[in-house]
Amino acid sequence: MTVGNTPSRAVVVGTGSRAQMFTTALAHRPGLRVAALCDPNPVRIAHHQRLLKEAGEPEAAAWSPEDFERRLRADDIQEVVVTCVDALHDAYIVPALRAGCRVVTEKPMTTDAAKCRHILRTVEETGNHLAVAFNYRFNPVHEEVHRQLSAGAIGEVLSVHFEWLLDTRHGADYFRRWHREKQHSGGLMVHKSSHHFDLVNWWLGARPQEVFGYGRLGFYGREAGERSGYRREYERAHGASAASDDPFALELADNDALRALYLDAEGADGYHRDRNVFGDGITIEDDMSLLVRYDTGATMTYHLTAYSPWEGYRVMFNGTRGRLELEVEESRWQPPVLGTASGRGTIHGDEALANAGGPRVVLRPLWEPPREVELPAFDHAGHGGGDERMLTALYGPLNPLDPAAATGTPAAADASDASKQRATEADGALALVTGLAANESFVSRKPVATADVVPV
């Protein structure tokens, strides 16, 4: 990570809300230096410069996207973090791999099959691998599920039922932002569900083979909003009197970080972060149901709902020796107020959601009474603790005197499982291909073989 006593030089590509985590994490690790920030919007770059200053770090160079490939070598960059709009990930991943940089990308790795194949070809040609930031692998509750299944607690896993519920605070947020346009995000099957598909691949040690699904826009968008009576007449919330008492509206001016990142930055690129979730131009689904078959013979039924009164998920594994059940309540209910101290808006991230519940894992062996599995202390913030644990695995501990720093073992993560937790480009492709096949099936109404989408 360092050459002698010289910190590795990193560039953060995309300086939106999620990128704050990486800018801050790199700035607080002595073996790393944020040497550059790459974004077409100078106002957002300025916000990240303030984060560096608060961490006691020098100002980074400001790159335009057009200069990215040239400056990788000219500025002697060793580390690249890609956190821009999903559909643009490949434009930075590919040249960074070719330049020999160590690359970490936010999920999803990319948004379509052609771009995915391009990334995989580049890895093969260069021998330079890619890390995908699947932070849910590092959540200690998910680690415990992995341990139980790997130890054969329920024998061979034959089927999985997975239900993920986004509440009207978190779920609605995808319909205010660029994520609402499938050309930019791939839809929730790619942007959001790649997390969940990766978890199942990792938990089962399996590869998806065939996907069939239905998806629709049934709650958000103009037509649904007029049908339900939720629609208010405004394009974006800022300055709109009709949005003042709308529980689906986000007021950017009430949050310092969101104002700096988005409201103050609108003059540079015209991007509106607070659009009406019941507006026009939404091309993604909000209710999706899948059936997936894996190479192990296991099947999964999966449902994602983006308009639930509570947030959380239930995963049930049926095996030859019993059943394992996971339930996590990330919020039991949400009040109709969207104020937040977080710099990430209503996205579940650096702070817990309001009215958070808790996790529960139940093991139900055949011919024995069920029993709850003892779980480690759980904090909903930072994606259940997964963010910081993932950053430690990727970049080392915050404290260089930690004994783990000398061995490269991720502090606070499960050392025995660390190699399995770090997701590569192959894991990124395997998580992506389920969502891409689902999107195809929504249109064709037929099962889709994953090998016909992206052979992995």
Side-chain angles (χ1 to χ4, degrees):
M1 195 172 290
T2 58
V3 179
N5 293 321
T6 304
S8 286
R9 293 168 57 77
V11 56
V12 177
V13 181
T15 53
S17 58
R18 181 64 176 167
Q20 294 175 105
M21 179 187 78
F22 286 97
T23 297
T24 302
L26 296 172
H28 282 92
R29 284 168 165 81
L32 293 155
R33 166 72 39 84
V34 179
L37 297 163
C38 181
D39 197 290
N41 193 306
V43 180
R44 279 198 283 276
I45 286 180
H47 175 77
H48 282 253
Q49 300 282 29
R50 289 190 289 273
L51 296 178
L52 293 176
K53 184 177 181 180
E54 290 168 5
E57 287 290 289
E59 186 172 279
W63 294 4
S64 68
E66 294 77 16
D67 289 338
F68 175 78
E69 189 167 357
R70 176 182 64 83
R71 296 195 69 171
L72 278 176
R73 290 187 172 90
D75 290 26
D76 190 27
I77 299 296
Q78 291 90 41
E79 305 268 349
V80 175
V81 182
V82 180
T83 64
C84 59
V85 171
D86 298 345
L88 300 178
H89 284 186
D90 66 304
Y92 301 97
I93 291 171
V94 168
L97 290 172
R98 288 178 175 159
C101 298
R102 178 173 181 252
V103 186
V104 174
T105 183
E106 257 297 342
K107 60 81 197 164
M109 187 171 73
T110 185
T111 55
D112 67 41
K115 292 173 182 176
C116 183
R117 288 192 292 268
H118 191 198
I119 292 169
L120 295 178
R121 280 197 305 270
T122 304
V123 168
E124 185 177 357
E125 291 166 1
T126 63
N128 194 10
H129 291 276
L130 167 70
V132 183
F134 283 127
N135 50 6
Y136 273 122
R137 290 186 177 207
F138 294 88
N139 179 313
V141 173
H142 299 161
E143 286 178 348
E144 182 57 39
V145 170
H146 189 273
R147 277 191 289 270
Q148 291 286 331
L149 295 175
S150 299
I154 61 169
E156 178 189 354
V157 178
L158 302 179
S159 65
V160 182
H161 176 69
F162 197 147
E163 178 186 31
W164 198 288
L165 299 156
L166 296 166
D167 65 27
T168 47
R169 174 183 171 96
H170 182 187
D173 210 42
Y174 294 107
F175 296 83
R176 301 186 187 101
R177 306 180 269 158
W178 55 263
H179 303 76
R180 69 197 245 154
E181 295 153 356
K182 192 170 283 192
Q183 67 185 54
H184 295 137
S185 67
L188 291 178
M189 287 285 95
V190 168
H191 176 81
K192 182 63 181 175
S193 297
S194 61
H195 259 322
H196 316 153
F197 301 147
D198 176 69
L199 274 177
V200 176
N201 296 343
W202 177 58
W203 277 330
L204 302 187
R207 292 170 171 249
Q209 286 192 326
E210 191 172 55
V211 179
F212 175 73
Y214 291 108
R216 65 179 295 217
L217 181 66
F219 185 85
Y220 300 106
R222 175 185 287 272
E223 182 181 343
E226 289 176 347
R227 188 171 63 246
S228 65
Y230 288 132
R231 175 174 163 80
R232 309 287 179 88
E233 292 298 329
Y234 64 90
E235 289 299 316
R236 51 88 55 98
H238 182 68
S241 58
S244 61
D245 62 346
D246 182 2
F248 291 95
L250 174 66
E251 182 48 70
L252 297 173
D254 291 344
N255 182 286
D256 290 343
L258 293 178
R259 183 172 62 248
L261 281 170
Y262 300 108
L263 192 59
D264 295 348
E266 288 178 4
D269 59 14
Y271 173 60
H272 292 164
R273 171 67 176 77
D274 59 346
R275 286 180 283 180
N276 188 341
V277 301
F278 300 106
D280 297 313
I282 297 174
T283 56
I284 66 172
E285 300 84 7
D286 56 30
D287 194 292
M288 294 135 279
S289 181
L290 304 184
L291 178 62
V292 183
R293 180 173 55 82
Y294 294 88
D295 62 350
T296 61
T299 57
M300 175 178 70
T301 53
Y302 173 85
H303 201 111
L304 177 66
T305 302
Y307 52 90
S308 171
W310 71 280
E311 174 134 345
Y313 47 104
R314 300 185 180 103
V315 192
M316 284 74 80
F317 304 87
N318 299 301
T320 55
R321 296 186 180 276
R323 177 178 168 98
L324 188 71
E325 300 172 347
L326 164 67
E327 179 171 289
V328 178
E329 281 188 313
E330 292 185 336
S331 75
R332 293 180 292 109
W333 67 284
Q334 285 295 327
V337 176
L338 293 181
T340 176
S342 168
R344 299 177 194 165
T346 59
I347 309 168
H348 173 49
D350 55 348
E351 66 176 14
L353 291 169
N355 304 309
R360 185 171 181 249
V361 175
V362 178
L363 178 62
R364 300 180 183 274
L366 294 179
W367 308 299
E368 295 179 27
R371 57 181 180 271
E372 287 205 26
V373 175
E374 185 176 352
L375 297 176
F378 184 78
D379 184 355
H380 285 280
H383 294 94
D387 283 344
E388 191 54 47
R389 293 154 68 88
M390 178 189 69
L391 291 167
T392 296
L394 291 171
Y395 298 115
L398 283 170
N399 178 7
L401 299 179
D402 191 307
T407 63
T409 302
D414 178 7
S416 67
D417 201 38
S419 64
K420 296 176 185 175
Q421 286 175 282
R422 296 186 184 92
T424 68
E425 69 285 339
D427 299 307
L430 286 169
L432 173 65
V433 74
T434 304
L436 294 179
N439 283 339
E440 285 194 18
S441 185
F442 293 165
V443 176
S444 70
R445 300 295 177 94
K446 297 178 180 179
V448 175
T450 59
D452 293 340
V453 181
V454 179
V456 186

